[in-house]
Amino acid sequence: MEFPSPTMRVWTLFLFLLLLKSDVVQSASDSLIGLGSYDITGPAADVNMMGYANTEQIASGVHFRLRARAFIVAQPKGNRVVFVNLDACMASQLVVIKVIERLKARYGDLYTEKNVAISGIHTHAGPGGYLQYVVYIVTSLGFVRQSFDVIVDGIEKTIVQAHENLRPGSIFVNKGELLDAGVNRSPSAYLNNPAAERSKFKYDVDKEMTLLKFVDDEWGPLGSFNWFATHGTSMSRTNSLISGDNKGAAARFMEDWFERKGSVRMDSVGFENDGIPRRISNIIPSLHDNHHELLELAASFQSPPGKPATKTSSVARRVRGVLTQVDKPRFVSAFCQTNCGDVSPNVLGAFCIDTELPCDFNHSTCGGKNELCYGRGPGYPDEFESTRIIGERQFKKAVELFNGASEQIKGKVDFRHAFIDFSQLEVNPSKVGASEVVKTCPAAMGFAFAAGTTDGPGAFDFKQGDDQGNPFWMLVRNLLKTPGKEQVDCHHPKPILLDTGEMKLPYDWAPSILPIQILRVGQLVILSVPGEFTTMAGRRLRDAVKTVLSGSKGFGSNIHVVIAGLTNTYSQYVTTYEEYQVQRYEGASTLYGPHTLSAYIQEFTKLARALISGQPVEPGPQPPDLLDKQISLLTPVVMDATPIGVKFGDCSSDVPKNSNFKRGDMVSVTFWSACPRNDLMTEGTFSLVEFLQGKDTWVPAYDDDDFCLRFKWSRPFKLSSHSKATIEWRIPQDVTPGVYRIKHFGAAKGLLGSIHHFTGSSSAFVVA
Ligand SMILES: *[C@@H]1O[C@H](CO)[C@@H](O)[C@H](O)[C@H]1NC(C)=O
């Protein structure tokens, strides 16, 4: 027996290296993943909120801040896709156009409208005025530049962050049912769908949550994005505090949960009493000082000297930054919207506020009137509590799916995108069981649209017209169009209230060119739709796309299809043909006529086929950029002032001297303040609870982002230069006992327009 020859030894070594290499190829990720997140809160005063179209719902404070969250998945030398989830009511065509312009200036052709999806969570508690079509900015007195800019900037920064965070990693997908976070608010329309079709489903809304988990090869879990259908209407049409509603809340809870998990050694992941994770109790060691000592300590901070302005924008970062490892990107968790068209988070049902009885089943009325019928959330009558509960239910389900995610995403990253003119699209008769070609129609809204829904009755009440106090509405109401016979027939049985598709003055009232898009990340396929699909409409679309993709080369049979609702632009609702016949709110708001859904299915099917065959698709006509035509009638801040003898930031109502609070109490402090529009405090905070560590070090404990803290701003009358900010702190059950104080950060506008920042502080108080 001989030893291997030198040649053999070289071969053995070569084979060994080859094996090693193939091993490496197998275990390493073939994708780069990057996540990002940025504040998009916007103006917390004077601006109408987007969603309910209630002229009286004007922002005047912050429940919690809004964010844009993004993921990028890139294959080295291959395709990449970007998904951005906005804590906003919906995407805006104009926002997308401007974001893409900026991305092109920065990265060339890396990110275009084709591979970037921008989606809204559908909160009805964010500042409006950032959309370009007239009908969506009537109640906000036209375009609001500040709302628009903060969203465009925030998306850009989020994507840049995600881009710079790109590193090798893996993605997992998991799905599960969440039963108690949504009910059908138009069941009588749903029941008009064929019985045979309905019998295939256990529920009249989709209960499934689909979650993507992102794991960095080196750092471990980076974040998650999930899709689940329920409206962002836990906060009501009379709320005036900026809020991400139930999905924004869920995202806040999950990000805090993860950071807390990372900061504490825990054997198992548990939830506290109410399931909401807390942070402060983990970062600040418990005090052992006795109560008397605490009181003395607090007394030494009774009348804080007026301090000069400090840097405010880093405060919120500091609160959450304490918990974050500096070398690692922050955990990002997004709760995205899907086919929520007929899904209400007000799960207790809709009741008449006069009789307490359920509303009329077919019409959601009370004694024939829609104004009295309101849906009730699980925290009824407390909408903040309803928001928390529906947020928490989604958060808990997402944590469960996150912890259990084991199916790895494998396969290509790809995308297809097309602009389609929906005002006159021919739909193949075989698609709708018709004998001849049918068409979509120029956009129009039906009468039931004015009735609103049980989540917001009487929304956009054009008929009775609350136009007295709205100059923008007066400006445009004379331009109303009477629809012609062809248009009336096309929309039948929808009686046309507003012929928006044919109203072009002072500029387009409704979109006619809509973007549709498919993003593929391995076996997960995201369908970007520019509106609110109802439950059954969403099922039909997903099913049609899945049928095309299933079994094709490169896909196989295991395919997850999710709809990303309210994405890339906004065109209201999409019902099935049968639901359309019933003409409830969703049917009346299906803009392009009874065959709108069939048109979507036809066009998405084309994108799906192109995805399989590797063929490009026709880009279609560009939607208009109407930025230069926008009209803004919202008056700017003239100036801020304080009465003689007080300064900005002084307490007008302090905590009582020597106060002594306990868990569950509410501490309320009012400051002389200025209009929050002077500085949006982006990535910062208006309100802050500080904790005294040792004898003289104040550390931030709770800020605008915390559920226990509310920032409420008000003026005594409309054009007053005086204003006050009230900060309410509901002391959490798990608070660390000790000495606290409440601070307010603001910015005042001088007579000549200069902005100066100020800070105010309450006296110190003890929480025992
Ligand atoms: C709702 O309308 C349908 C169809 O007109 C009718 O059959 C049904 O009885 C109505 N239901 C109620 C509860 O009024």
Side-chain angles (χ1 to χ4, degrees):
M1 180 109 194
E2 273 185 14
F3 283 103
S5 67
T7 337
M8 270 297 271
R9 263 178 282 163
V10 169
W11 268 110
T12 313
L13 187 68
F14 180 76
L15 277 173
F16 175 73
L17 283 175
L18 200 73
L19 259 169
L20 195 74
K21 186 156 189 313
S22 70
D23 199 26
V24 167
V25 166
Q26 274 210 324
S27 68
S29 315
D30 63 349
S31 294
L32 299 173
I33 56 180
L35 271 53
S37 163
Y38 204 81
D39 188 349
I40 56 163
T41 303
D46 305 331
V47 176
N48 187 244
M49 285 184 169
M50 188 63 200
Y52 289 115
N54 173 11
T55 39
E56 278 150 40
Q57 194 193 2
I58 306 291
S60 64
V62 178
H63 177 213
F64 61 93
R65 286 190 164 260
L66 309 178
R67 298 192 77 79
R69 297 173 170 90
F71 72 74
I72 301 179
V73 181
Q75 288 187 319
K77 304 202 188 89
N79 291 327
R80 57 181 64 202
V81 293
V82 184
F83 189 90
V84 184
N85 191 49
L86 298 180
D87 287 347
C89 198
M90 65 280 290
S92 144
Q93 183 66 68
L94 192 56
V95 165
V96 171
I97 289 171
K98 295 304 161 190
V99 165
I100 297 300
E101 279 177 13
R102 292 193 191 183
L103 293 174
K104 281 187 175 158
R106 208 182 258 276
Y107 300 112
D109 281 336
L110 210 49
Y111 304 112
T112 67
E113 67 273 347
K114 291 184 168 42
N115 64 346
V116 176
I118 298 176
S119 185
I121 61 167
H122 213 35
T123 170
H124 286 44
Y130 63 96
L131 286 90
Q132 68 172 354
Y133 298 106
V134 171
V135 83
Y136 309 124
I137 52 174
V138 165
T139 53
S140 61
L141 302 174
F143 190 67
V144 180
R145 186 79 208 200
Q146 217 175 12
S147 298
F148 174 77
D149 282 342
V150 78
I151 294 176
V152 173
D153 288 348
I155 298 171
E156 184 191 17
K157 290 200 167 71
T158 304
I159 293 175
V160 168
Q161 230 182 69
H163 176 85
E164 286 172 359
N165 284 339
L166 278 170
R167 291 163 45 86
S170 323
I171 311 169
F172 299 85
V173 61
N174 200 3
K175 295 199 282 201
E177 278 193 338
L178 172 57
L179 297 182
D180 54 0
V183 293
N184 197 309
R185 68 183 190 189
S186 289
S188 58
Y190 180 90
L191 285 172
N192 210 40
N193 290 310
E197 183 183 35
R198 282 185 283 117
S199 70
K200 290 190 280 184
F201 303 95
K202 194 167 170 193
Y203 303 105
D204 62 1
V205 296
D206 284 341
K207 302 285 189 185
E208 192 167 72
M209 178 184 278
T210 303
L211 179 134
L212 284 183
K213 174 179 182 175
F214 297 87
V215 183
D216 186 283
D217 278 356
E218 194 183 320
W219 287 326
L222 290 177
S224 68
F225 278 60
N226 72 69
W227 289 264
F228 176 79
T230 194
H231 248 72
T233 46
S234 290
M235 297 297 279
S236 76
R237 68 191 291 272
T238 54
N239 158 63
S240 68
L241 301 187
I242 290 178
S243 174
D245 209 276
N246 58 65
K247 285 191 182 288
R252 176 81 279 118
F253 299 159
M254 187 147 177
E255 288 175 352
D256 286 352
W257 162 78
F258 187 84
E259 293 192 345
R260 171 182 184 267
K261 195 162 81 85
S263 67
V264 196
R265 205 177 294 277
M266 289 168 80
D267 294 331
S268 64
V269 177
F271 296 101
E272 287 163 31
N273 307 338
D274 57 359
I276 295 180
R278 309 293 185 195
R279 298 179 313 283
I280 187 72
S281 50
N282 300 310
I283 57 170
I284 296 171
S286 284
L287 286 189
H288 298 291
D289 302 21
N290 68 40
H291 193 223
H292 180 70
E293 249 176 88
L294 286 180
L295 283 171
E296 268 184 9
L297 208 50
S300 68
F301 291 96
Q302 280 305 314
S303 305
K307 273 200 188 152
T310 51
K311 250 182 90 182
T312 53
S313 60
S314 62
V315 169
R317 280 225 165 270
R318 285 196 340 236
V319 173
R320 278 170 177 74
V322 177
L323 301 162
T324 315
Q325 274 174 262
V326 279
D327 60 332
K328 201 175 153 178
R330 284 164 75 191
F331 187 80
V332 175
S333 188
F335 287 69
C336 312
Q337 196 51 277
T338 172
N339 52 325
C340 68
D342 51 0
V343 189
S344 169
N346 296 317
V347 293
L348 299 187
F351 295 87
C352 299
I353 53 175
D354 51 351
T355 60
E356 299 282 316
L357 295 171
C359 313
D360 173 80
F361 178 77
N362 282 330
H363 303 290
S364 295
T365 49
C366 303
K369 291 191 170 127
N370 66 277
E371 298 96 302
L372 300 176
C373 173
Y374 277 89
R376 290 181 183 173
Y380 176 84
D382 183 347
E383 62 193 270
F384 294 92
E385 190 57 8
S386 292
T387 301
R388 187 189 67 77
I389 295 169
I390 297 293
E392 187 186 290
R393 288 175 184 171
Q394 291 175 77
F395 150 62
K396 284 187 173 179
K397 178 53 67 176
V399 167
E400 187 191 312
L401 296 177
F402 180 84
N403 286 338
S406 61
E407 181 187 334
Q408 192 167 349
I409 292 282
K410 289 192 181 118
K412 275 174 78 172
V413 171
D414 208 349
F415 52 84
R416 289 294 183 278
H417 176 285
F419 287 116
I420 310 283
D421 187 345
F422 268 74
S423 68
Q424 44 180 350
L425 195 60
E426 293 193 347
V427 183
N428 188 322
S430 67
K431 291 275 187 297
V432 287
S435 55
E436 55 191 44
V437 168
V438 292
K439 278 175 126 184
T440 57
C441 341
M445 304 193 307
F447 271 79
F449 169 76
T453 70
T454 53
D455 290 335
F460 260 133
D461 201 349
F462 286 105
K463 242 170 30 173
Q464 281 135 63
D466 183 31
D467 46 41
Q468 298 296 312
N470 186 335
F472 189 82
W473 178 236
M474 291 202 272
L475 187 97
V476 294
R477 70 170 171 188
N478 299 332
L479 309 169
L480 289 185
K481 169 108 176 41
T482 315
K485 182 175 186 306
E486 199 183 339
Q487 174 77 330
V488 169
D489 291 348
C490 187
H491 282 274
H492 182 81
K494 178 203 287 170
I496 296 174
L497 170 66
L498 279 176
D499 192 12
T500 50
E502 300 186 307
M503 289 153 67
K504 308 281 181 192
L505 293 172
Y507 39 89
D508 292 2
W509 275 61
S512 56
I513 297 163
L514 301 181
I516 61 166
Q517 180 185 49
I518 300 184
L519 301 183
R520 176 188 180 185
V521 183
Q523 67 271 39
L524 179 93
V525 172
I526 300 169
L527 311 179
S528 302
V529 302
E532 309 175 49
F533 277 53
T534 60
T535 301
M536 198 62 101
R539 287 168 178 167
R540 287 188 195 172
L541 176 64
R542 287 197 305 258
D543 196 49
V545 169
K546 201 167 178 174
T547 303
V548 173
L549 300 178
S550 280
S552 69
K553 213 168 126 257
F555 263 101
S557 58
N558 182 32
I559 306 170
H560 307 282
V561 183
V562 294
I563 287 175
L566 306 122
T567 301
N568 294 333
T569 190
Y570 184 60
S571 63
Q572 297 166 253
Y573 287 75
V574 179
T575 64
T576 65
Y577 177 85
E578 294 82 357
E579 289 162 357
Y580 185 92
Q581 305 307 311
V582 178
Q583 281 295 304
R584 279 186 57 97
Y585 176 81
E586 295 81 13
S589 308
T590 295
L591 294 186
Y592 308 97
H595 304 296
T596 304
L597 174 61
S598 302
Y600 272 104
I601 290 174
Q602 171 178 291
E603 298 305 313
F604 264 103
T605 304
K606 287 182 194 164
L607 294 193
R609 291 220 179 86
L611 202 62
I612 299 173
S613 64
Q615 297 298 309
V617 292
E618 283 292 319
Q622 278 290 320
D625 174 345
L626 303 174
L627 183 58
D628 293 341
K629 297 186 174 169
Q630 296 298 316
I631 295 172
S632 306
L633 298 181
L634 179 71
T635 44
V637 181
V638 180
M639 69 167 292
D640 297 286
T642 53
I644 293 172
V646 295
K647 300 186 302 301
F648 291 111
D650 282 358
C651 283
S652 87
S653 166
D654 200 352
V655 290
K657 282 243 182 302
N658 304 317
S659 12
N660 199 350
F661 295 95
K662 57 184 190 311
R663 292 175 174 147
D665 286 350
M666 187 175 84
V667 187
S668 175
V669 180
T670 302
F671 299 90
W672 287 102
S673 190
C675 185
R677 280 199 281 161
N678 296 325
D679 184 337
L680 306 180
M681 300 291 171
T682 302
E683 286 290 354
T685 196
F686 290 110
S687 54
L688 187 69
V689 173
E690 286 185 320
F691 175 84
L692 184 63
Q693 201 169 31
K695 296 272 181 257
D696 53 6
T697 308
W698 290 97
V699 287
Y702 302 93
D703 63 21
D704 279 356
D705 269 343
D706 286 280
F707 247 59
C708 61
L709 205 55
R710 290 181 201 163
F711 168 67
K712 297 177 169 177
W713 180 83
S714 66
R715 285 191 187 96
F717 54 92
K718 204 168 180 191
L719 290 174
S720 172
S721 59
H722 294 173
S723 65
K724 288 180 182 176
T726 297
I727 297 176
E728 292 175 359
W729 183 36
R730 285 158 183 79
I731 302 176
Q733 289 302 323
D734 64 344
V735 76
T736 302
V739 176
Y740 286 85
R741 69 178 181 187
I742 291 176
K743 290 185 84 170
H744 169 45
F745 300 93
K749 190 173 187 178
L751 191 54
L752 301 176
S754 64
I755 302 287
H756 91 271
H757 287 85
F758 62 87
T759 309
S761 174
S762 75
S763 294
F765 53 89
V766 171
V767 175

